[in-house]
């Protein structure tokens, strides 16, 4: 499958789940989609709360660990 270059984590997660249902474990990361675009541009400047930031860091860290393990299991030497 080809993956479109998008920032929509819901769509990305659904595509990953079609290839590997275990990606369902990452459900929840889709709440970070607005951070991909909305925070980066000054027109609609938004500053997340400390709680939102901590949750986003935890979600991103868990997703990164999960994906790295998948890549390692697939034979890629990821650090």
């Amino acid at each position: 499958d080809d993956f479109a270059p998008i920032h929509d984590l819901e769509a990305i997660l659904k595509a990953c789940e079609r290839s590997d249902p275990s990606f369902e474990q990452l459900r929840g990361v889709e709440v970070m989609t607005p951070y991909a675009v909305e925070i980066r541009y000054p027109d609609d400047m938004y500053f997340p709360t400390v709680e939102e930031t901590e949750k986003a860091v935890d979600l991103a860290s868990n997703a990164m660990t999960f994906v790295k393990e998948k890549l390692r299991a697939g034979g890629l030497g990821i650090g």
Side-chain angles (χ1 to χ4, degrees):
D1 274 324
D2 290 327
F3 292 95
I6 59 173
H7 295 296
D8 183 345
L9 293 175
E10 174 74 23
I12 293 168
L13 190 53
K14 283 181 180 179
C16 291
E17 288 173 340
R18 282 192 299 273
S19 294
D20 182 342
S22 72
F23 273 84
E24 183 178 332
Q25 295 175 46
L26 296 181
R27 281 283 158 200
V29 298
E30 60 271 21
V31 300
M32 294 191 313
T33 295
Y35 299 136
V37 178
E38 294 174 18
I39 286 181
R40 295 184 350 195
Y41 300 103
D43 292 349
D44 297 320
M45 198 55 135
Y46 169 74
F47 294 98
T49 66
V50 170
E51 292 81 17
E52 289 172 315
T53 302
E54 288 172 345
K55 180 179 179 182
V57 168
D58 285 343
L59 287 168
S61 178
N62 290 338
M64 182 177 66
T65 299
F66 178 86
V67 171
K68 281 184 173 183
E69 287 301 316
K70 286 289 182 185
L71 293 172
R72 283 188 199 106
L76 295 174
I78 302 297

